[in-house]
Amino acid sequence: MGSVFFERRPLTGRDVLSWDIARHLYGRQLQGTVVILTDNPTGLHAALAKQWRRLGRAVQRERAATLDAVLIQELTRTLSRMQNLTFSTQSPFDELADVYILDKEHLNVVPRGTHTFYATEVMDDEQLKDIGEAVAYNGLVVTYR
Amino acid sequence: MAITITPTHIRTEELLTCVICGRERPLADLTAGLTDATGRQALACAGHTWDAHELITGWAKFAITQRQALAQAAAQMEYREDIGHGQRVF
């Protein structure tokens, strides 16, 4: 676990969870593949997609509110990236995506190139250690407890 | 909301700088985001995720400075290549 960051974030409900993941993911979207482990992939996928679109609209508002040409260019780039980010509830063996939302059944192996792993289910230290070893160098494991 | 474990090369006892507001904070108050131009993990105050304006413009401005740093480094390398008559100087 010596090469990976671990971060603990609070868990207070499904809506708040998708909101928090969307906000955190905003800063991590450039860093390779993202995996979210949850007991309800379909539900979280729908909620996260909604929060992601909402955040996209906030970026559009920020872009419209500034006269700084460099910032406008950067926010345009960000928006394009956000709109092209793909979410999937399928196993990495079945579908290529940027963000995988999986339950324990489908998470047989952490996909290669995973830089961010969100564990929304309670995992013991041994499981977290295994995840930490599977995540790329300088990657991040976020736990919700 | 906190970073609890870091790679071994990071000294956790020191205060670390938030790349968005520049304040020095303990590791417990920081969250991980983008990486900088050298590939190191950039950290920001966890509180910035609560405010959409700070989150969006903060990371965008950070990305702009890192992109400029990369462009400057690339230009310097090209300049060195010119001096070295086409030979790369590292």
Side-chain angles (χ1 to χ4, degrees):
Chain A
M1 289 206 288
S3 64
V4 174
F5 287 85
F6 277 76
E7 186 171 338
R8 190 183 301 141
R9 297 177 74 82
L11 176 61
T12 46
R14 184 70 63 193
D15 284 345
V16 177
L17 175 67
S18 60
W19 181 90
D20 192 77
I21 292 178
R23 296 284 178 121
H24 195 271
L25 183 61
Y26 181 79
R28 299 289 303 175
Q29 56 181 311
L30 284 176
Q31 257 80 294
T33 307
V34 177
V35 174
I36 304 170
L37 181 68
T38 174
D39 57 348
N40 179 10
T42 320
L44 185 61
H45 180 216
L48 185 59
K50 186 179 169 187
Q51 294 295 343
W52 195 245
R53 283 195 297 272
R54 187 177 283 179
L55 198 54
R57 288 196 293 274
V59 175
Q60 284 176 327
R61 278 196 300 275
E62 289 295 334
R63 188 178 60 172
T66 183
L67 294 172
D68 183 340
V70 181
L71 187 58
I72 289 172
Q73 194 184 26
E74 185 60 39
L75 292 175
T76 305
R77 206 175 275 144
T78 304
L79 259 175
S80 162
R81 230 171 16 233
M82 286 181 83
Q83 285 161 355
N84 288 316
L85 200 77
T86 50
F87 296 86
S88 173
T89 54
Q90 303 292 311
S91 157
F93 295 113
D94 298 329
E95 194 177 17
L96 278 177
D98 300 309
V99 182
Y100 292 101
I101 307 165
L102 305 168
D103 53 17
K104 276 186 182 162
E105 230 174 85
H106 288 88
L107 187 74
N108 303 320
V109 64
V110 176
R112 192 181 284 257
T114 296
H115 279 249
T116 311
F117 188 99
Y118 294 94
T120 68
E121 281 187 53
V122 176
M123 297 179 91
D124 59 38
D125 289 345
E126 200 57 39
Q127 286 172 313
L128 282 174
K129 192 181 168 200
D130 290 344
I131 297 292
E133 280 165 8
V135 168
Y137 178 80
N138 245 352
L140 174 70
V141 178
V142 181
T143 54
Y144 286 87
R145 286 183 190 178
Chain B
M1 206 182 301
I3 294 196
T4 52
I5 303 173
T6 60
T8 40
H9 62 269
I10 292 179
R11 300 178 69 177
T12 52
E13 66 275 11
E14 286 177 3
L15 291 176
L16 297 163
T17 309
C18 165
V19 295
I20 291 180
C21 65
R23 288 197 197 109
E24 292 204 326
R25 297 269 189 187
L27 201 58
D29 294 344
L30 296 168
T31 185
L34 297 171
T35 49
D36 67 13
T38 59
R40 279 182 307 191
Q41 180 62 58
L43 303 169
C45 300
H48 293 315
T49 49
W50 293 94
D51 186 320
H53 169 74
E54 283 180 15
L55 177 77
I56 293 164
T57 56
W59 282 125
K61 284 176 181 169
F62 174 74
I64 290 166
T65 53
Q66 297 312 305
R67 195 165 282 124
Q68 284 168 346
L70 271 177
Q72 221 165 26
Q76 232 163 20
M77 205 181 285
E78 271 177 35
Y79 175 68
R80 284 184 184 175
E81 278 176 8
D82 290 344
I83 294 174
H85 303 290
Q87 288 179 326
R88 280 179 172 266
V89 180
F90 288 104

